Amino acid sequence: MALIETRDLGRVYDLDAGRVVALDHVSLDVDEGDFVAVMGPSGSGKSTFMNLIGCLDRPTHGTYRLAGTAVETLDANGLARLRNREIGFVFQQFNLLPRVDALGNVALPMVYAGVDRRTRREKAHAALARVGLAERWHHRPMQLSGGQQQRVAIARALVNGPKLLLADEPTGALDSRTAAEILWLFQELNREGVTVVLVTHDADVGRHARRLVRFKDGRVLEDHRQTPLDARDLIAAESAA
């Protein structure tokens, strides 16, 4: 079943320098439980595509259905509710609140969802345990390594039980060993049923997904299935180096 359905999706920007077609009639489906790497050079349209499927921007034309909801029909409040319910975001920069501990950072999306304090704490603890940080709940970001901070960010993205996890260059700020560990976590979450769409410029990172979609000039240039590399092999190789 398709979780993401786009038909002739396009985004055009009218700038002082002229008209820029950032995304040009993209029709693409992503099934529930898939793991897709979206790749392409700067200006290819991959980031615009991610902003649109993440309900962070509106298309100029075309349609987009997320979990059966016609996204283009929603107002700003409707988009915010859909994002909070269906999508978890992970970025290159961890975007954690520096003076708040890991538990508080993970619980933050539930504050906006109106979840009571006790339930927030219980679910935040469970999310941190899911990413291997159960014992670090009371640490602030500066007391955590880069990899641990990214795990907190992933726990925050998962805490509301989204169907879709969108990751934008999630390993870009990490060393090779830590990046491999984060890729392994994404693979584990995907095996548990989380749909993952990962935007990256790194071909090595892209090879860990089950499907590769490559953009160029605002269009889909390539879309194929692949046998993903097991991130555990990368972890072992980095450990042996």
Side-chain angles (χ1 to χ4, degrees), residues 93-102 105-106 108 139-142 144-146 148-154 156:
Q93 303 303 322
F94 317 125
N95 297 331
L96 301 177
L97 298 178
R99 297 185 179 182
V100 177
D101 62 23
N105 270 286
V106 173
L108 190 60
H139 287 68
R140 294 183 180 183
M142 291 302 292
L144 301 171
S145 68
Q148 289 169 336
Q149 289 185 62
Q150 189 61 294
R151 286 175 181 268
V152 172
I154 293 170
R156 180 184 58 193

Side-chain angles (χ1 to χ4, degrees), residues 115-162:
V115 178
D116 66 86
R117 186 175 184 272
R118 180 177 177 179
T119 303
R120 291 200 306 266
R121 290 182 63 85
E122 290 175 352
K123 293 182 70 174
H125 273 295
L128 284 168
R130 193 178 187 187
V131 300
L133 289 179
E135 304 303 319
R136 298 277 183 158
W137 67 268
H138 57 290
H139 287 68
R140 294 183 180 183
M142 291 302 292
Q143 298 172 305
L144 301 171
S145 68
Q148 289 169 336
Q149 289 185 62
Q150 189 61 294
R151 286 175 181 268
V152 172
I154 293 170
R156 180 184 58 193
L158 295 171
V159 76
N160 277 338

Side-chain angles (χ1 to χ4, degrees), residues 45-60:
K46 66 182 188 297
S47 294
T48 301
F49 178 73
M50 183 176 182
N51 286 339
L52 290 175
I53 67 172
C55 303
L56 299 172
D57 194 10
R58 292 181 178 276
T60 306

Side-chain angles (χ1 to χ4, degrees), residues 108-219:
L108 190 60
M110 292 183 286
V111 175
Y112 298 124
V115 178
D116 66 86
R117 186 175 184 272
R118 180 177 177 179
T119 303
R120 291 200 306 266
R121 290 182 63 85
E122 290 175 352
K123 293 182 70 174
H125 273 295
L128 284 168
R130 193 178 187 187
V131 300
L133 289 179
E135 304 303 319
R136 298 277 183 158
W137 67 268
H138 57 290
H139 287 68
R140 294 183 180 183
M142 291 302 292
Q143 298 172 305
L144 301 171
S145 68
Q148 289 169 336
Q149 289 185 62
Q150 189 61 294
R151 286 175 181 268
V152 172
I154 293 170
R156 180 184 58 193
L158 295 171
V159 76
N160 277 338
K163 293 181 179 178
L164 175 63
L165 185 63
L166 290 180
D168 189 2
E169 302 285 2
T171 61
L174 304 174
D175 62 80
S176 298
R177 168 61 189 263
T178 305
E181 293 173 350
I182 294 300
L183 287 171
W184 169 241
L185 178 56
F186 282 132
Q187 289 182 328
E188 281 279 272
L189 293 169
N190 180 243
R191 277 187 281 271
E192 293 173 12
V194 178
T195 305
V196 180
V197 176
L198 185 155
V199 174
T200 180
H201 71 281
D202 189 332
D204 290 333
V205 171
R207 282 194 281 269
H208 290 82
R210 292 194 281 165
R211 178 181 173 192
L212 176 65
V213 177
R214 195 180 303 274
F215 279 78
K216 183 179 180 180
D217 297 331
R219 296 186 176 188

